[in-house]
Amino acid sequence: MNIFLVIIISITGFFLFLYIGLLLYKTYLRYSTRIKTSNGISSLEEITLGDLKQWIFIRGKNQTNPILLFLHGGPGAPLLGMSSSRKYDAELIKHFTIVHWDQRGAGKSFNSDIPVDSMTLDRFVEDCNELIDYLRNRFLTQKIFLVAHSGGTVIGIKTAKRYPEKIHAYVGVAQVIHEFEQQKVSYNFIVEEAKKSGDVKRQNAIK
């Protein structure tokens, strides 16, 4: 048999094996971590925020638990896949109904037809506010918990400031406080480390 044909068959078989293995693992994960409680929820949904179709993933063992909306970082770094792993929120879903949101232009909410001029911080804050209202109405609650990570903390803290009456508490993870000052401190640190190294090439690259 031609050696190239053997190689092609071997590579094809390898990737087919990986694909089948992935499907089996996803099936096992979905089955082993399924919500078994009578009032639980695990739902991937498309809703409209700011006249744009966007996606949320809701998961919890009791829909009467407090609502926790998680804002991913980035911009454009959705973590819906992290929640889909059913691992990192395993404890949280016992106490909260967790809502992951793929923000405008990110993950499943990406759309090449999104107007560029709509990609503003103010629009993201209003999208977040509309989502909060949607969750308040759907789950019959006056307030929610808002947790944000990294770039999402800019949206989160502005939303909390603008609409405090709708939020029990805001939690910032890797909170962005002063982006310009942060970049300045980081740059100065890199410059100092390059000087300490004595590597002229590295020092010139930074300049």
mmCIF file of all heavy atoms in Angstrom, residues 71-118:
data_model
loop_
_atom_site.group_PDB
_atom_site.id
_atom_site.type_symbol
_atom_site.label_atom_id
_atom_site.label_comp_id
_atom_site.label_asym_id
_atom_site.label_seq_id
_atom_site.Cartn_x
_atom_site.Cartn_y
_atom_site.Cartn_z
ATOM 1 N N LEU A 71 -21.287 38.780 33.994
ATOM 2 C CA LEU A 71 -20.829 39.536 32.830
ATOM 3 C C LEU A 71 -19.394 39.131 32.507
ATOM 4 O O LEU A 71 -18.485 39.340 33.316
ATOM 5 C CB LEU A 71 -20.883 41.039 33.110
ATOM 6 C CG LEU A 71 -22.218 41.611 33.590
ATOM 7 C CD1 LEU A 71 -22.098 43.122 33.776
ATOM 8 C CD2 LEU A 71 -23.323 41.290 32.593
ATOM 9 N N HIS A 72 -19.204 38.571 31.317
ATOM 10 C CA HIS A 72 -17.855 38.124 30.940
ATOM 11 C C HIS A 72 -16.952 39.298 30.594
ATOM 12 O O HIS A 72 -17.390 40.425 30.391
ATOM 13 C CB HIS A 72 -17.931 37.119 29.784
ATOM 14 C CG HIS A 72 -18.430 37.687 28.493
ATOM 15 N ND1 HIS A 72 -17.707 38.578 27.734
ATOM 16 C CD2 HIS A 72 -19.579 37.473 27.797
ATOM 17 C CE1 HIS A 72 -18.368 38.879 26.630
ATOM 18 N NE2 HIS A 72 -19.524 38.233 26.654
ATOM 19 N N GLY A 73 -15.665 39.004 30.504
ATOM 20 C CA GLY A 73 -14.672 40.028 30.206
ATOM 21 C C GLY A 73 -14.468 40.249 28.726
ATOM 22 O O GLY A 73 -15.275 39.867 27.896
ATOM 23 N N GLY A 74 -13.361 40.839 28.432
ATOM 24 C CA GLY A 74 -13.054 41.126 27.031
ATOM 25 C C GLY A 74 -12.615 42.571 26.860
ATOM 26 O O GLY A 74 -11.716 43.028 27.558
ATOM 27 N N PRO A 75 -13.275 43.264 25.950
ATOM 28 C CA PRO A 75 -14.504 42.876 25.230
ATOM 29 C C PRO A 75 -14.304 41.630 24.342
ATOM 30 O O PRO A 75 -13.212 41.413 23.835
ATOM 31 C CB PRO A 75 -14.812 44.095 24.356
ATOM 32 C CG PRO A 75 -14.015 45.220 24.938
ATOM 33 C CD PRO A 75 -12.796 44.588 25.516
ATOM 34 N N GLY A 76 -15.374 40.894 24.206
ATOM 35 C CA GLY A 76 -15.373 39.757 23.296
ATOM 36 C C GLY A 76 -14.740 38.504 23.841
ATOM 37 O O GLY A 76 -14.125 37.742 23.096
ATOM 38 N N ALA A 77 -14.846 38.250 25.138
ATOM 39 C CA ALA A 77 -14.290 37.023 25.722
ATOM 40 C C ALA A 77 -15.378 36.273 26.471
ATOM 41 O O ALA A 77 -15.370 36.206 27.713
ATOM 42 C CB ALA A 77 -13.133 37.362 26.657
ATOM 43 N N PRO A 78 -16.355 35.722 25.762
ATOM 44 C CA PRO A 78 -17.490 35.059 26.420
ATOM 45 C C PRO A 78 -17.073 33.828 27.193
ATOM 46 O O PRO A 78 -16.121 33.145 26.821
ATOM 47 C CB PRO A 78 -18.402 34.686 25.236
ATOM 48 C CG PRO A 78 -17.467 34.544 24.082
ATOM 49 C CD PRO A 78 -16.419 35.604 24.298
ATOM 50 N N LEU A 79 -17.788 33.552 28.264
ATOM 51 C CA LEU A 79 -17.487 32.394 29.102
ATOM 52 C C LEU A 79 -18.659 31.441 29.186
ATOM 53 O O LEU A 79 -18.732 30.618 30.093
ATOM 54 C CB LEU A 79 -17.087 32.860 30.513
ATOM 55 C CG LEU A 79 -15.753 33.590 30.612
ATOM 56 C CD1 LEU A 79 -15.519 34.059 32.041
ATOM 57 C CD2 LEU A 79 -14.606 32.694 30.161
ATOM 58 N N LEU A 80 -19.566 31.540 28.236
ATOM 59 C CA LEU A 80 -20.701 30.624 28.239
ATOM 60 C C LEU A 80 -20.208 29.183 28.166
ATOM 61 O O LEU A 80 -20.764 28.288 28.783
ATOM 62 C CB LEU A 80 -21.624 30.934 27.061
ATOM 63 C CG LEU A 80 -22.977 30.220 27.007
ATOM 64 C CD1 LEU A 80 -24.007 31.132 26.351
ATOM 65 C CD2 LEU A 80 -22.875 28.927 26.195
ATOM 66 N N GLY A 81 -19.116 28.972 27.425
ATOM 67 C CA GLY A 81 -18.541 27.627 27.324
ATOM 68 C C GLY A 81 -18.060 27.108 28.654
ATOM 69 O O GLY A 81 -18.125 25.922 28.939
ATOM 70 N N MET A 82 -17.567 28.021 29.520
ATOM 71 C CA MET A 82 -17.123 27.619 30.845
ATOM 72 C C MET A 82 -18.299 27.102 31.650
ATOM 73 O O MET A 82 -18.213 26.077 32.332
ATOM 74 C CB MET A 82 -16.486 28.800 31.569
ATOM 75 C CG MET A 82 -15.995 28.460 32.971
ATOM 76 S SD MET A 82 -15.364 29.870 33.891
ATOM 77 C CE MET A 82 -16.899 30.655 34.380
ATOM 78 N N SER A 83 -19.418 27.804 31.565
ATOM 79 C CA SER A 83 -20.607 27.366 32.283
ATOM 80 C C SER A 83 -21.127 26.055 31.705
ATOM 81 O O SER A 83 -21.615 25.194 32.424
ATOM 82 C CB SER A 83 -21.705 28.433 32.213
ATOM 83 O OG SER A 83 -22.829 28.026 32.937
ATOM 84 N N SER A 84 -21.004 25.920 30.373
ATOM 85 C CA SER A 84 -21.479 24.702 29.732
ATOM 86 C C SER A 84 -20.717 23.479 30.203
ATOM 87 O O SER A 84 -21.180 22.350 30.054
ATOM 88 C CB SER A 84 -21.360 24.832 28.200
ATOM 89 O OG SER A 84 -22.175 25.870 27.721
ATOM 90 N N SER A 85 -19.510 23.687 30.741
ATOM 91 C CA SER A 85 -18.727 22.554 31.233
ATOM 92 C C SER A 85 -19.359 21.938 32.465
ATOM 93 O O SER A 85 -19.007 20.829 32.857
ATOM 94 C CB SER A 85 -17.303 23.002 31.574
ATOM 95 O OG SER A 85 -17.308 23.777 32.760
ATOM 96 N N ARG A 86 -20.286 22.684 33.090
ATOM 97 C CA ARG A 86 -20.994 22.208 34.289
ATOM 98 C C ARG A 86 -20.051 21.978 35.462
ATOM 99 O O ARG A 86 -20.382 21.304 36.417
ATOM 100 C CB ARG A 86 -21.716 20.879 34.010
ATOM 101 C CG ARG A 86 -23.092 20.935 33.402
ATOM 102 C CD ARG A 86 -23.199 21.638 32.123
ATOM 103 N NE ARG A 86 -24.489 21.330 31.498
ATOM 104 C CZ ARG A 86 -24.752 21.528 30.229
ATOM 105 N NH1 ARG A 86 -23.821 22.010 29.441
ATOM 106 N NH2 ARG A 86 -25.938 21.246 29.739
ATOM 107 N N LYS A 87 -18.869 22.542 35.411
ATOM 108 C CA LYS A 87 -17.887 22.291 36.465
ATOM 109 C C LYS A 87 -17.726 23.492 37.382
ATOM 110 O O LYS A 87 -17.822 23.366 38.600
ATOM 111 C CB LYS A 87 -16.540 21.937 35.836
ATOM 112 C CG LYS A 87 -15.405 21.749 36.838
ATOM 113 C CD LYS A 87 -14.102 21.439 36.124
ATOM 114 C CE LYS A 87 -12.954 21.290 37.119
ATOM 115 N NZ LYS A 87 -11.667 21.014 36.440
ATOM 116 N N TYR A 88 -17.498 24.658 36.802
ATOM 117 C CA TYR A 88 -17.121 25.820 37.594
ATOM 118 C C TYR A 88 -18.290 26.438 38.355
ATOM 119 O O TYR A 88 -18.079 27.186 39.306
ATOM 120 C CB TYR A 88 -16.450 26.861 36.701
ATOM 121 C CG TYR A 88 -15.183 26.331 36.063
ATOM 122 C CD1 TYR A 88 -15.171 25.917 34.742
ATOM 123 C CD2 TYR A 88 -14.011 26.224 36.805
ATOM 124 C CE1 TYR A 88 -14.014 25.409 34.164
ATOM 125 C CE2 TYR A 88 -12.857 25.717 36.246
ATOM 126 C CZ TYR A 88 -12.861 25.313 34.926
ATOM 127 O OH TYR A 88 -11.713 24.804 34.355
ATOM 128 N N ASP A 89 -19.504 26.150 37.925
ATOM 129 C CA ASP A 89 -20.646 26.718 38.646
ATOM 130 C C ASP A 89 -21.413 25.652 39.422
ATOM 131 O O ASP A 89 -22.542 25.868 39.837
ATOM 132 C CB ASP A 89 -21.593 27.441 37.680
ATOM 133 C CG ASP A 89 -22.169 26.513 36.617
ATOM 134 O OD1 ASP A 89 -21.843 25.316 36.647
ATOM 135 O OD2 ASP A 89 -22.933 26.995 35.776
ATOM 136 N N ALA A 90 -20.783 24.513 39.642
ATOM 137 C CA ALA A 90 -21.457 23.379 40.282
ATOM 138 C C ALA A 90 -21.992 23.727 41.674
ATOM 139 O O ALA A 90 -23.079 23.281 42.055
ATOM 140 C CB ALA A 90 -20.507 22.187 40.377
ATOM 141 N N GLU A 91 -21.250 24.507 42.439
ATOM 142 C CA GLU A 91 -21.703 24.877 43.776
ATOM 143 C C GLU A 91 -22.677 26.054 43.716
ATOM 144 O O GLU A 91 -23.674 26.090 44.442
ATOM 145 C CB GLU A 91 -20.495 25.247 44.644
ATOM 146 C CG GLU A 91 -20.839 25.560 46.099
ATOM 147 C CD GLU A 91 -21.416 24.362 46.831
ATOM 148 O OE1 GLU A 91 -21.089 23.212 46.472
ATOM 149 O OE2 GLU A 91 -22.212 24.589 47.777
ATOM 150 N N LEU A 92 -22.400 26.997 42.815
ATOM 151 C CA LEU A 92 -23.240 28.191 42.729
ATOM 152 C C LEU A 92 -24.682 27.871 42.358
ATOM 153 O O LEU A 92 -25.612 28.512 42.855
ATOM 154 C CB LEU A 92 -22.654 29.169 41.698
ATOM 155 C CG LEU A 92 -21.438 29.988 42.149
ATOM 156 C CD1 LEU A 92 -20.887 30.785 40.979
ATOM 157 C CD2 LEU A 92 -21.798 30.913 43.296
ATOM 158 N N ILE A 93 -24.867 26.894 41.467
ATOM 159 C CA ILE A 93 -26.233 26.604 41.011
ATOM 160 C C ILE A 93 -27.105 26.004 42.107
ATOM 161 O O ILE A 93 -28.316 25.891 41.935
ATOM 162 C CB ILE A 93 -26.245 25.670 39.779
ATOM 163 C CG1 ILE A 93 -25.616 24.319 40.115
ATOM 164 C CG2 ILE A 93 -25.557 26.325 38.595
ATOM 165 C CD1 ILE A 93 -25.752 23.302 38.983
ATOM 166 N N LYS A 94 -26.493 25.636 43.237
ATOM 167 C CA LYS A 94 -27.285 25.154 44.368
ATOM 168 C C LYS A 94 -27.961 26.327 45.088
ATOM 169 O O LYS A 94 -28.990 26.144 45.729
ATOM 170 C CB LYS A 94 -26.392 24.410 45.366
ATOM 171 C CG LYS A 94 -25.715 23.165 44.818
ATOM 172 C CD LYS A 94 -24.799 22.560 45.872
ATOM 173 C CE LYS A 94 -24.030 21.362 45.335
ATOM 174 N NZ LYS A 94 -23.077 20.824 46.357
ATOM 175 N N HIS A 95 -27.363 27.499 44.978
ATOM 176 C CA HIS A 95 -27.814 28.653 45.759
ATOM 177 C C HIS A 95 -28.353 29.796 44.902
ATOM 178 O O HIS A 95 -29.040 30.674 45.420
ATOM 179 C CB HIS A 95 -26.661 29.175 46.613
ATOM 180 C CG HIS A 95 -25.959 28.105 47.388
ATOM 181 N ND1 HIS A 95 -26.496 27.530 48.519
ATOM 182 C CD2 HIS A 95 -24.767 27.476 47.166
ATOM 183 C CE1 HIS A 95 -25.659 26.607 48.986
ATOM 184 N NE2 HIS A 95 -24.603 26.553 48.192
ATOM 185 N N PHE A 96 -28.014 29.790 43.613
ATOM 186 C CA PHE A 96 -28.445 30.850 42.706
ATOM 187 C C PHE A 96 -28.935 30.250 41.392
ATOM 188 O O PHE A 96 -28.573 29.133 41.034
ATOM 189 C CB PHE A 96 -27.286 31.806 42.374
ATOM 190 C CG PHE A 96 -26.707 32.537 43.544
ATOM 191 C CD1 PHE A 96 -25.634 32.011 44.246
ATOM 192 C CD2 PHE A 96 -27.231 33.762 43.945
ATOM 193 C CE1 PHE A 96 -25.083 32.683 45.328
ATOM 194 C CE2 PHE A 96 -26.689 34.448 45.024
ATOM 195 C CZ PHE A 96 -25.611 33.907 45.714
ATOM 196 N N THR A 97 -29.737 31.023 40.696
ATOM 197 C CA THR A 97 -30.020 30.725 39.296
ATOM 198 C C THR A 97 -29.042 31.580 38.497
ATOM 199 O O THR A 97 -29.144 32.812 38.492
ATOM 200 C CB THR A 97 -31.469 31.067 38.919
ATOM 201 O OG1 THR A 97 -32.357 30.209 39.667
ATOM 202 C CG2 THR A 97 -31.708 30.852 37.435
ATOM 203 N N ILE A 98 -28.061 30.930 37.873
ATOM 204 C CA ILE A 98 -26.964 31.619 37.193
ATOM 205 C C ILE A 98 -27.353 31.932 35.751
ATOM 206 O O ILE A 98 -27.848 31.066 35.026
ATOM 207 C CB ILE A 98 -25.683 30.774 37.194
ATOM 208 C CG1 ILE A 98 -25.364 30.260 38.594
ATOM 209 C CG2 ILE A 98 -24.510 31.579 36.620
ATOM 210 C CD1 ILE A 98 -25.023 31.324 39.582
ATOM 211 N N VAL A 99 -27.076 33.161 35.338
ATOM 212 C CA VAL A 99 -27.348 33.566 33.962
ATOM 213 C C VAL A 99 -26.044 34.043 33.325
ATOM 214 O O VAL A 99 -25.446 35.035 33.769
ATOM 215 C CB VAL A 99 -28.394 34.693 33.888
ATOM 216 C CG1 VAL A 99 -28.661 35.066 32.425
ATOM 217 C CG2 VAL A 99 -29.682 34.275 34.584
ATOM 218 N N HIS A 100 -25.584 33.308 32.314
ATOM 219 C CA HIS A 100 -24.428 33.726 31.521
ATOM 220 C C HIS A 100 -24.937 34.400 30.256
ATOM 221 O O HIS A 100 -25.859 33.898 29.608
ATOM 222 C CB HIS A 100 -23.551 32.523 31.156
ATOM 223 C CG HIS A 100 -22.725 32.019 32.295
ATOM 224 N ND1 HIS A 100 -21.426 32.405 32.506
ATOM 225 C CD2 HIS A 100 -23.028 31.153 33.294
ATOM 226 C CE1 HIS A 100 -20.953 31.809 33.576
ATOM 227 N NE2 HIS A 100 -21.905 31.044 34.079
ATOM 228 N N TRP A 101 -24.316 35.501 29.898
ATOM 229 C CA TRP A 101 -24.773 36.293 28.753
ATOM 230 C C TRP A 101 -23.620 36.505 27.775
ATOM 231 O O TRP A 101 -22.578 37.016 28.145
ATOM 232 C CB TRP A 101 -25.310 37.634 29.262
ATOM 233 C CG TRP A 101 -25.502 38.715 28.239
ATOM 234 C CD1 TRP A 101 -25.971 38.578 26.962
ATOM 235 C CD2 TRP A 101 -25.252 40.111 28.427
ATOM 236 N NE1 TRP A 101 -26.027 39.794 26.339
ATOM 237 C CE2 TRP A 101 -25.594 40.756 27.220
ATOM 238 C CE3 TRP A 101 -24.786 40.882 29.488
ATOM 239 C CZ2 TRP A 101 -25.466 42.137 27.048
ATOM 240 C CZ3 TRP A 101 -24.659 42.240 29.332
ATOM 241 C CH2 TRP A 101 -25.003 42.859 28.114
ATOM 242 N N ASP A 102 -23.806 36.083 26.536
ATOM 243 C CA ASP A 102 -22.863 36.410 25.471
ATOM 244 C C ASP A 102 -23.203 37.819 24.989
ATOM 245 O O ASP A 102 -24.215 38.023 24.305
ATOM 246 C CB ASP A 102 -22.969 35.414 24.309
ATOM 247 C CG ASP A 102 -22.154 34.152 24.549
ATOM 248 O OD1 ASP A 102 -21.609 34.009 25.656
ATOM 249 O OD2 ASP A 102 -22.070 33.305 23.634
ATOM 250 N N GLN A 103 -22.373 38.779 25.375
ATOM 251 C CA GLN A 103 -22.668 40.184 25.109
ATOM 252 C C GLN A 103 -22.671 40.493 23.597
ATOM 253 O O GLN A 103 -22.148 39.725 22.781
ATOM 254 C CB GLN A 103 -21.638 41.067 25.816
ATOM 255 C CG GLN A 103 -21.639 40.909 27.327
ATOM 256 C CD GLN A 103 -20.355 41.392 27.965
ATOM 257 O OE1 GLN A 103 -19.586 42.150 27.365
ATOM 258 N NE2 GLN A 103 -20.102 40.958 29.190
ATOM 259 N N ARG A 104 -23.256 41.590 23.272
ATOM 260 C CA ARG A 104 -23.356 42.081 21.891
ATOM 261 C C ARG A 104 -22.025 41.890 21.139
ATOM 262 O O ARG A 104 -20.986 42.413 21.531
ATOM 263 C CB ARG A 104 -23.724 43.558 21.934
ATOM 264 C CG ARG A 104 -23.722 44.301 20.625
ATOM 265 C CD ARG A 104 -24.132 45.738 20.844
ATOM 266 N NE ARG A 104 -25.503 45.835 21.333
ATOM 267 C CZ ARG A 104 -26.540 46.247 20.596
ATOM 268 N NH1 ARG A 104 -26.356 46.611 19.342
ATOM 269 N NH2 ARG A 104 -27.742 46.287 21.116
ATOM 270 N N GLY A 105 -22.074 41.107 20.057
ATOM 271 C CA GLY A 105 -20.890 40.907 19.227
ATOM 272 C C GLY A 105 -19.965 39.799 19.677
ATOM 273 O O GLY A 105 -18.970 39.506 19.009
ATOM 274 N N ALA A 106 -20.272 39.133 20.805
ATOM 275 C CA ALA A 106 -19.389 38.104 21.346
ATOM 276 C C ALA A 106 -20.058 36.734 21.335
ATOM 277 O O ALA A 106 -21.265 36.619 21.553
ATOM 278 C CB ALA A 106 -18.966 38.456 22.773
ATOM 279 N N GLY A 107 -19.270 35.689 21.107
ATOM 280 C CA GLY A 107 -19.783 34.323 21.164
ATOM 281 C C GLY A 107 -20.972 34.092 20.265
ATOM 282 O O GLY A 107 -20.972 34.459 19.085
ATOM 283 N N LYS A 108 -22.013 33.492 20.815
ATOM 284 C CA LYS A 108 -23.208 33.206 20.027
ATOM 285 C C LYS A 108 -23.968 34.472 19.648
ATOM 286 O O LYS A 108 -24.824 34.443 18.764
ATOM 287 C CB LYS A 108 -24.138 32.249 20.795
ATOM 288 C CG LYS A 108 -23.625 30.823 20.868
ATOM 289 C CD LYS A 108 -24.598 29.903 21.585
ATOM 290 C CE LYS A 108 -25.868 29.677 20.799
ATOM 291 N NZ LYS A 108 -25.661 28.995 19.519
ATOM 292 N N SER A 109 -23.659 35.585 20.331
ATOM 293 C CA SER A 109 -24.327 36.848 20.011
ATOM 294 C C SER A 109 -23.616 37.612 18.892
ATOM 295 O O SER A 109 -23.996 38.739 18.573
ATOM 296 C CB SER A 109 -24.408 37.738 21.265
ATOM 297 O OG SER A 109 -25.191 37.119 22.267
ATOM 298 N N PHE A 110 -22.592 36.993 18.307
ATOM 299 C CA PHE A 110 -21.896 37.658 17.196
ATOM 300 C C PHE A 110 -22.779 37.682 15.956
ATOM 301 O O PHE A 110 -23.466 36.715 15.633
ATOM 302 C CB PHE A 110 -20.595 36.942 16.852
ATOM 303 C CG PHE A 110 -19.947 37.490 15.603
ATOM 304 C CD1 PHE A 110 -19.243 38.680 15.648
ATOM 305 C CD2 PHE A 110 -20.083 36.828 14.394
ATOM 306 C CE1 PHE A 110 -18.663 39.208 14.491
ATOM 307 C CE2 PHE A 110 -19.509 37.340 13.239
ATOM 308 C CZ PHE A 110 -18.797 38.530 13.284
ATOM 309 N N ASN A 111 -22.740 38.809 15.279
ATOM 310 C CA ASN A 111 -23.459 38.961 14.018
ATOM 311 C C ASN A 111 -22.706 39.999 13.194
ATOM 312 O O ASN A 111 -22.495 41.128 13.650
ATOM 313 C CB ASN A 111 -24.900 39.421 14.284
ATOM 314 C CG ASN A 111 -25.739 39.461 13.022
ATOM 315 O OD1 ASN A 111 -25.239 39.734 11.928
ATOM 316 N ND2 ASN A 111 -27.026 39.191 13.167
ATOM 317 N N SER A 112 -22.300 39.634 11.994
ATOM 318 C CA SER A 112 -21.507 40.546 11.165
ATOM 319 C C SER A 112 -22.297 41.783 10.747
ATOM 320 O O SER A 112 -21.712 42.759 10.260
ATOM 321 C CB SER A 112 -21.003 39.810 9.916
ATOM 322 O OG SER A 112 -22.089 39.287 9.156
ATOM 323 N N ASP A 113 -23.612 41.745 10.933
ATOM 324 C CA ASP A 113 -24.448 42.892 10.546
ATOM 325 C C ASP A 113 -24.665 43.889 11.681
ATOM 326 O O ASP A 113 -25.392 44.872 11.523
ATOM 327 C CB ASP A 113 -25.813 42.401 10.050
ATOM 328 C CG ASP A 113 -25.707 41.592 8.757
ATOM 329 O OD1 ASP A 113 -24.802 41.899 7.948
ATOM 330 O OD2 ASP A 113 -26.516 40.665 8.572
ATOM 331 N N ILE A 114 -24.060 43.643 12.840
ATOM 332 C CA ILE A 114 -24.219 44.567 13.960
ATOM 333 C C ILE A 114 -23.626 45.924 13.571
ATOM 334 O O ILE A 114 -22.462 45.999 13.165
ATOM 335 C CB ILE A 114 -23.503 44.048 15.224
ATOM 336 C CG1 ILE A 114 -24.134 42.732 15.694
ATOM 337 C CG2 ILE A 114 -23.578 45.077 16.352
ATOM 338 C CD1 ILE A 114 -23.412 42.090 16.859
ATOM 339 N N PRO A 115 -24.381 47.008 13.691
ATOM 340 C CA PRO A 115 -23.853 48.338 13.362
ATOM 341 C C PRO A 115 -22.645 48.672 14.241
ATOM 342 O O PRO A 115 -22.710 48.522 15.468
ATOM 343 C CB PRO A 115 -25.022 49.279 13.664
ATOM 344 C CG PRO A 115 -26.238 48.398 13.594
ATOM 345 C CD PRO A 115 -25.800 47.061 14.102
ATOM 346 N N VAL A 116 -21.575 49.098 13.623
ATOM 347 C CA VAL A 116 -20.359 49.424 14.373
ATOM 348 C C VAL A 116 -20.624 50.523 15.398
ATOM 349 O O VAL A 116 -20.106 50.480 16.524
ATOM 350 C CB VAL A 116 -19.239 49.872 13.398
ATOM 351 C CG1 VAL A 116 -18.007 50.316 14.180
ATOM 352 C CG2 VAL A 116 -18.874 48.732 12.453
ATOM 353 N N ASP A 117 -21.471 51.497 15.030
ATOM 354 C CA ASP A 117 -21.717 52.604 15.947
ATOM 355 C C ASP A 117 -22.576 52.222 17.149
ATOM 356 O O ASP A 117 -22.794 53.033 18.056
ATOM 357 C CB ASP A 117 -22.347 53.792 15.210
ATOM 358 C CG ASP A 117 -23.673 53.443 14.527
ATOM 359 O OD1 ASP A 117 -24.168 52.312 14.729
ATOM 360 O OD2 ASP A 117 -24.196 54.295 13.802
ATOM 361 N N SER A 118 -23.063 50.971 17.162
ATOM 362 C CA SER A 118 -23.824 50.504 18.333
ATOM 363 C C SER A 118 -22.918 49.844 19.364
ATOM 364 O O SER A 118 -23.364 49.523 20.469
ATOM 365 C CB SER A 118 -24.914 49.503 17.909
ATOM 366 O OG SER A 118 -24.356 48.230 17.619
#
